[in-house]
Amino acid sequence: MNLLSLKPWLQTNLLLLLLFLAACQNNTPKESKAFKESINGQVSDLYVLKNKNGMRAEITNYGGRLVRLEIPGNQAKTTNVVLGFDSVSGYAKSTEPYFGATIGRYGNRIAKGKFSLDGKIYQLSVNNGPNTLHGGKQGFQYRLFSAQQRGDSSLVLNYTSRDGEEGFPGKLEVQVTYTLSQNNELKLDYKAKSDKNTVVNLTNHAFFNLNGEGSGTINKHELQIFADAYTPVDSTLIPTGKIEPVTGTPFDFRKPKSIGQDLNARNEQLGFGKGYDHNFVLSDQASWKYAAKIKGDQSGIVMQIYTTEPGLQFYGGNFMQSKNKMRDGKYDDFRTAFCLETQHFPDSPNQPAFPSVVLKAGQTYQSSSVYKFSN
């Protein structure tokens, strides 16, 4: 069709239509087709949240994962601060199973994969040395959530974990809501309800680099954690049960310092974790706690974390082994990303002195965290 042969008014309308269609096409992630997979009779997909400032979050219902998080900067430039893949198969085949995933039923470790509840001992699947990590061998990172998008700002994900899944008691109805605000805040709200008494500890396992995905080490990021104490661990990274002050240790992040500043200190705990992989006891006792603040040394992007949880796991990428080719073509090299996971404490089902993670039948578990960005 020759556009010039048409009447002027028709030319104009047709041109506007073509521009509109092009804009819609440009608004669709190129990799969206690669996220459409049939899994156990359900279909995975990619969902986009965005705000007026140019911030954009991409989420897949495969594992309830945060796939990409674009932070606006100067001169209309954005920086993706989350490591990930450009397809469902990338996540499914990764040797690191937790990139961006919703973690459940229990975030972090449970000693020897066992706990006692109401006089009964439950044996979970063991997948981290002698322990259970992040819900077991087939945790939520491999599950397909149903999804309902509510405009540009919100995505609601639901999953039903059957009674006995990975050894946990009770049929657990889980809901995770991602919300992107006009204040450049990504909020995660978790809800769960069980038909039996059980234990629950949900979180998100995004791997961040505030300088941008594939930009190198995170050791020069400036980190502040608002915690006066932490929970030391044994050689298998299970808490000893003690809560110890951070004063005089490499774990003192009460004042901002680079992640790498004390990494080479002679410290048994750093040896056990091959660096930082520890739970911090948040000092704030309010229902909403200011947990952490971290700044990218190259980008100047700042992330602040607020949560209703009592703890924060800081993981410095110590077990990244350059085995996975990421979306940008670079690999997940040693300490090129960090995780700050809001949580109840590790191994709480076996630690009576720790805040309880027991969810009674019929009651509702609720947890919320906010990741606020600025530069």
Side-chain angles (χ1 to χ4, degrees), residues 182-365:
Q182 299 302 329
N183 295 319
N184 289 353
E185 297 169 333
L186 182 66
K187 186 181 182 187
L188 277 71
D189 292 298
Y190 306 88
K191 290 184 179 180
K193 186 175 285 188
S194 175
D195 62 356
K196 294 180 181 178
N197 292 352
T198 191
V199 296
V200 182
N201 188 27
L202 304 180
T203 191
N204 179 273
H205 210 306
F207 281 67
F208 292 100
N209 186 321
L210 299 186
N211 292 330
E213 181 184 31
S215 63
T217 182
I218 48 88
N219 285 344
K220 293 183 180 180
H221 280 53
E222 186 177 80
L223 174 62
Q224 186 174 16
I225 301 177
F226 301 101
D228 295 320
Y230 78 111
T231 51
V233 295
D234 64 18
S235 61
T236 70
L237 301 182
I238 292 293
T240 63
K242 297 179 180 179
I243 295 177
E244 295 188 352
V246 298
T247 305
T249 76
F251 298 88
D252 191 348
F253 284 92
R254 290 174 296 178
K255 293 182 179 180
K257 68 178 182 182
S258 69
I259 289 174
Q261 178 175 310
D262 296 322
L263 262 176
N264 295 321
R266 296 185 63 182
N267 179 277
E268 182 181 57
Q269 288 296 306
L270 290 179
F272 286 159
K274 299 185 185 302
Y276 295 107
D277 192 7
H278 294 76
N279 171 66
F280 287 75
V281 180
L282 299 178
S283 302
D284 194 342
Q285 296 301 306
S287 56
W288 273 99
K289 304 165 182 65
Y290 189 11
K293 179 179 180 180
I294 185 166
K295 180 179 180 180
D297 59 292
Q298 299 173 27
S299 67
I301 292 173
V302 174
M303 179 172 73
Q304 296 168 282
I305 300 176
Y306 302 84
T307 185
T308 60
E309 290 294 300
L312 183 75
Q313 185 83 8
F314 169 41
Y315 167 59
N318 315 313
F319 301 102
M320 300 174 75
Q321 301 177 35
S322 307
K323 290 185 176 181
N324 301 290
K325 190 176 183 179
M326 311 306 293
R327 166 179 44 229
D328 64 354
K330 296 182 181 179
Y331 285 81
D332 54 340
D333 295 333
F334 183 59
R335 292 180 180 158
T336 56
F338 66 87
C339 304
L340 289 167
E341 303 153 75
T342 57
Q343 63 179 9
H344 269 58
F345 304 170
D347 199 37
S348 289
N350 297 310
Q351 304 281 358
F354 289 177
S356 176
V357 291
V358 174
L359 175 64
K360 297 287 187 180
Q363 294 184 351
T364 301
Y365 165 98

